[in-house]
Amino acid sequence: MTDGPGIPPPPPPPPPPEPPDESGTGGWQPTPEGPAWGPAQPMGSWGPPPAAPKPGVIPLRPLGIPELLDGAITAIRRYPKATIVPSFVVALGLGALDYLTALVSITMYRGVNDLDPTTASGSDIVGIVGPTLFVALVGGVVQLVATVLLTGVITAVMGQAVLGRDVTLADAWAIVRPRAWRLLGLGLLVVLIVIVGLFICLIPGIILAVFLSVSSAALVLERSTVGAAIGRSWRLISGAFWRTFGALILMVIIYAVINVAISIPFSIPEFVAPSVDSATLTVNETQFVINNAIATIGSVIVSTITLPFIAAVLSLIYIDRRMRTEGLDITLARQSQQP
């Protein structure tokens, strides 16, 4: 009896799937991989290279400056509840503080008009100007805190937006909340560094602002410390200073255009019926209250639009630099395929 052909051996089992990221960083930790250039074309193929995957608001490849801006706008439109809503709340609070400062300044104008320069002392001047300066200082601190935290929330949203994942405001805040104090410390430190640079000379301040522009994104997305985030931002921008500077300048121009286009209509009442006589510093208090209320509405609208736009652009600059230098696009493409 001869042996038949027999049963062929079973095929080898398929390779196990790549385990999901369990580092707690969402795949944002620095990676040693080089830039992703896509698969090589076969010999004799003259077709275009394969399109980069685009699971979210940007294609996962190095970005051009127009794509940075478009990605920021797309993210805001796609996730309005996680971007526009918190921006409106912050803008409304800051607008209320600005309006309160304006109302307190009425007292300052009254005191200046009643002041006798021949008998006024330093304490008299402090008593007149002090309340307005105090309210303005408190407003400045609140503005810094609110803006820094909002930037962190928008950054967290962008971290999910590039992967095409759903993200809510609660999800974004859950990412930012454990590192809120570090984020505030980083924001304060960066502001102080830039102010010192601007005080020494305008150019050093601008250079420092560019090199530190993505430090908040590094802290939020990489869960790093303040010092590590500053060093990370400096290294990522090194070698791409002028490109980053150009993107930031274009961002500022867009902000200025939006600001002017929206603010001018809300400033018309002050031009038509000025509330303060510049020669005598006499205040028409009723007109002052009305004009500042109208101007505050315009300020709230401007901030609601521009705050998330600026934060989103800075986040995408950070992501673009990592895709160019570390091949982050490969990691993100893998992350986008995981549930």
Side-chain angles (χ1 to χ4, degrees):
M1 183 174 180
T2 60
D3 295 335
I7 301 175
E18 183 174 331
D21 176 74
E22 298 179 352
S23 61
T25 62
W28 290 101
Q29 284 290 357
T31 172
E33 296 175 2
W37 300 107
Q41 293 294 302
M43 294 296 293
S45 171
W46 296 98
K54 188 180 178 181
V57 296
I58 57 170
L60 298 182
R61 56 167 171 75
L63 305 172
I65 291 179
E67 291 173 315
L68 291 172
L69 304 176
D70 179 71
I73 296 172
T74 301
I76 293 171
R77 293 176 59 187
R78 191 171 296 180
Y79 303 93
K81 292 182 180 179
T83 56
I84 294 296
V85 170
S87 298
F88 173 72
V89 172
V90 169
L92 191 62
L94 297 181
L97 283 173
D98 288 342
Y99 188 59
L100 177 62
T101 304
L103 295 181
V104 173
S105 68
I106 293 177
T107 305
M108 180 184 69
Y109 284 116
R110 290 175 185 166
V112 170
N113 290 327
D114 296 338
L115 188 66
D116 184 354
T118 60
T119 60
S121 63
S123 60
D124 294 331
I125 297 175
V126 171
I128 294 171
V129 180
T132 302
L133 291 180
F134 175 77
V135 174
L137 178 62
V138 172
V141 173
V142 173
Q143 180 176 6
L144 175 63
V145 171
T147 304
V148 168
L149 292 179
L150 177 64
T151 299
V153 168
I154 303 299
T155 300
V157 172
M158 295 302 297
Q160 300 301 311
V162 298
L163 299 173
R165 295 175 177 171
D166 293 332
V167 57
T168 65
L169 178 58
D171 296 332
W173 177 242
I175 295 173
V176 174
R177 184 178 56 205
R179 51 199 58 85
W181 286 109
R182 278 183 284 172
L183 189 60
L184 290 173
L186 174 65
L188 178 61
L189 183 59
V190 169
V191 168
L192 291 176
I193 291 174
V194 173
I195 288 177
V196 170
L198 291 172
F199 181 78
I200 295 174
C201 183
L202 181 64
I203 294 179
I206 294 174
I207 292 174
L208 289 170
V210 174
F211 274 109
L212 301 178
S213 59
V214 299
S215 55
S216 292
L219 188 145
V220 171
L221 295 178
E222 297 182 18
R223 278 98 162 149
S224 61
T225 62
V226 172
I230 290 177
R232 188 83 166 108
S233 178
W234 196 280
R235 289 190 298 273
L236 286 173
I237 302 303
S238 297
F241 175 85
W242 290 111
R243 186 176 187 280
T244 306
F245 178 75
L248 294 176
I249 288 294
L250 187 55
M251 179 189 73
V252 170
I253 291 174
I254 293 174
Y255 162 79
V257 170
I258 295 173
N259 190 9
V260 171
I262 296 177
S263 297
I264 285 181
F266 291 91
S267 302
I268 291 177
E270 183 65 27
F271 287 108
V272 174
S275 57
V276 180
D277 188 329
S278 57
T280 63
L281 295 181
T282 303
V283 179
N284 182 332
E285 296 184 8
T286 302
Q287 195 66 43
F288 187 88
V289 170
I290 295 173
N291 291 356
N292 276 277
I294 295 173
T296 299
I297 295 173
S299 175
V300 170
I301 296 174
V302 170
S303 297
T304 300
I305 297 172
T306 57
L307 286 175
F309 173 72
I310 292 172
V313 170
L314 294 177
S315 300
L316 290 180
I317 290 175
Y318 160 83
I319 293 170
D320 174 64
R321 289 304 305 147
R322 289 197 56 187
M323 288 195 294
R324 289 177 180 271
T325 59
E326 301 175 2
L328 180 65
D329 44 353
I330 299 175
T331 303
L332 293 180
R334 292 172 181 165
Q335 289 288 319
S336 67
Q337 296 172 2
Q338 295 178 5

